[in-house]
Amino acid sequence: MAEGPVLPDYGGACVANVVPALLGRRHDLPPWAPAPLAGAAQAVLLVVDGLGWEQLQERRHLAPNLCAMEGGPITTVVPSTTATALTSLTTGRAPAQHGIVGYRLLAGPGQVLNVLRWTTPEGDCRVSIAPERMQPLEPFLGAKPPVVTKAEFAGTGFTRAHLAGSELRGWRYPSTLVAHVADLVRDGQNFVYAYYPGLDTVAHEHGLGHIYEAELAAVDRLVGDLLAAVGAGTVVAVVSDHGQVEVGERVVPVHPEVSALTASLSGEGRFRWFHAWPGQADALRAAAALHHGDLAWAVSRAEVVAGGWMGGPLAPDVAARLGDVALVARAPVAFVDPADRGPFELVCRHGSLTSAEMWVPFVAARA
């Protein structure tokens, strides 16, 4: 069980600062940036979704290419979830600034938006909740590098929210990702952003056992293929958005006293937001701490903001997307919300502030 929350280093070694460091000529890099990036004429950033630093270190024998790279761990953002962290990566800003403050957030009265699917309980909401209004910051600080990502992500609400205006090269198989990146490097692009979600998907569905380890080995081969394909002198850097915690069947129902004080839920299993009935926020926080404090940090919205968890003060419209009280798991558990369901039961989860979720690799090697 975690002793205390791992807070993001928003002023330094954090995923929110990776893209700003890599844009341009890559001189005067911060000390936490991998050394091979210094002065590199061309750089590729491969984002491997769901690759935590601790999970990688425990399986170094499966990842010789990754573990031969220079660099080390950096922090992700809060919550440690894909929707929030990828938006911080592409915009170079903390969640408090870009406003995508969770996987499921309150987008209006009674409207809980699933950011990755861009749906509410009523269905697709790309028209009623325009992604470009929900997240108005320009990605890549306006530089518009090419983005190599899964073909089916083109046109989705989340892609429009965190990659608006980017030139997308879609891939359906990992070999195509490599080929697209190599073509772009040969065409003279000085920065290419690539995204691979397979490891996260496998961890969610199968846990951290042998199937996950087979996928990690495949990711490592993908990194080796990229280094071989991009040509001498190009630097390949690898970063992730969050790590993983194996939860399995340890899914905790919310105590009846907590439920009675709650009007609705948002967030996700390891960072569950509770929206209180009017006038009940203080009582809700006390009940959450009493009944679930052995498994989670029970914190108010004010405590999250004052503690700098999301990187500074939130504009009123962004603050309204949060609940009144959060249960932030420190044990390997998740908290139930019947409305938060996917195509399969999740074995691994993330979103909280444990070291397994918050520390991610930022490593690089020169081809």
Side-chain angles (χ1 to χ4, degrees):
M1 186 177 293
E3 294 183 359
V6 175
L7 297 180
D9 182 9
Y10 287 116
C14 178
V15 296
N17 301 319
V18 167
V19 163
L22 296 190
L23 293 173
R25 299 181 60 84
R26 289 173 281 278
H27 294 305
D28 301 319
L29 288 170
W32 48 268
L37 287 163
Q42 292 181 291
V44 175
L45 180 64
L46 174 65
V47 181
V48 178
D49 198 315
L51 176 60
W53 177 257
E54 291 187 2
Q55 295 94 67
L56 177 62
Q57 295 309 299
E58 291 164 359
R59 299 164 179 82
R60 292 179 62 87
H61 62 290
L62 298 173
N65 291 306
L66 282 164
C67 292
M69 290 177 148
E70 297 182 56
I74 64 174
T75 57
T76 187
V77 298
V78 174
S80 56
T81 197
T82 297
T84 304
L86 289 188
T87 308
S88 284
L89 263 171
T90 59
T91 64
R93 308 290 280 276
Q97 296 166 303
H98 62 64
I100 303 298
V101 289
Y103 164 61
R104 295 170 69 252
L105 52 82
L106 195 67
Q111 286 188 306
V112 175
L113 172 69
N114 182 309
V115 173
L116 294 186
R117 300 174 193 161
W118 216 265
T119 57
T120 64
E122 287 70 43
D124 189 316
C125 58
R126 285 174 291 177
V127 174
S128 60
I129 305 174
E132 297 83 359
R133 289 201 305 271
M134 178 68 71
Q135 197 301 100
L137 298 178
E138 195 170 13
F140 304 109
L141 309 183
K144 298 190 183 304
V147 171
V148 181
T149 189
K150 291 198 78 172
E152 54 262 44
F153 294 161
T156 65
F158 180 54
T159 293
R160 287 169 52 189
H162 83 293
L163 292 171
S166 297
E167 173 200 342
L168 302 182
R169 296 283 185 99
W171 61 269
R172 299 189 188 279
Y173 304 97
S175 59
T176 314
L177 181 156
V178 174
H180 282 325
V181 170
D183 288 344
L184 290 163
V185 170
R186 279 193 294 270
D187 288 345
Q189 295 287 342
N190 65 25
F191 178 59
V192 178
Y193 177 96
Y195 173 70
Y196 181 80
L199 189 69
D200 182 65
T201 303
V202 168
H204 280 313
E205 188 168 3
H206 298 285
L208 297 176
H210 70 284
I211 297 177
Y212 171 88
E213 293 186 340
E215 175 64 13
L216 176 59
V219 168
D220 192 70
R221 291 192 293 272
L222 176 67
V223 171
D225 290 345
L226 275 174
L227 283 165
V230 295
T234 300
V235 173
V236 174
V238 177
V239 73
S240 187
D241 53 348
H242 57 76
Q244 301 278 2
V245 170
E246 187 160 321
V247 171
E249 296 181 355
R250 294 182 293 272
V251 181
V252 179
V254 177
H255 190 276
E257 183 182 353
V258 177
S259 295
L261 297 165
T262 302
S264 62
L265 298 168
S266 61
E268 56 197 286
R270 290 187 55 77
F271 201 115
R272 183 68 71 202
W273 280 111
F274 296 77
H275 302 258
W277 291 110
Q280 298 299 317
D282 291 342
L284 176 58
R285 186 196 178 286
L290 174 65
H291 296 295
H292 299 297
D294 58 332
L295 300 175
W297 298 290
V299 290
S300 68
R301 179 197 310 173
E303 289 171 318
V304 168
V305 175
W309 285 21
M310 292 187 173
L314 281 66
D317 62 324
V318 174
R321 298 171 187 175
L322 305 177
D324 296 291
V325 176
L327 278 176
V328 184
R330 54 195 180 98
V333 301
F335 293 97
V336 170
D337 175 359
D340 183 10
R341 300 298 297 266
F344 51 80
E345 294 298 321
L346 302 181
V347 180
C348 278
R349 297 177 185 246
H350 49 81
S352 187
L353 282 76
T354 68
S355 60
E357 294 155 284
M358 289 296 296
W359 290 108
V360 297
F362 183 34
V363 295
R366 190 177 297 266

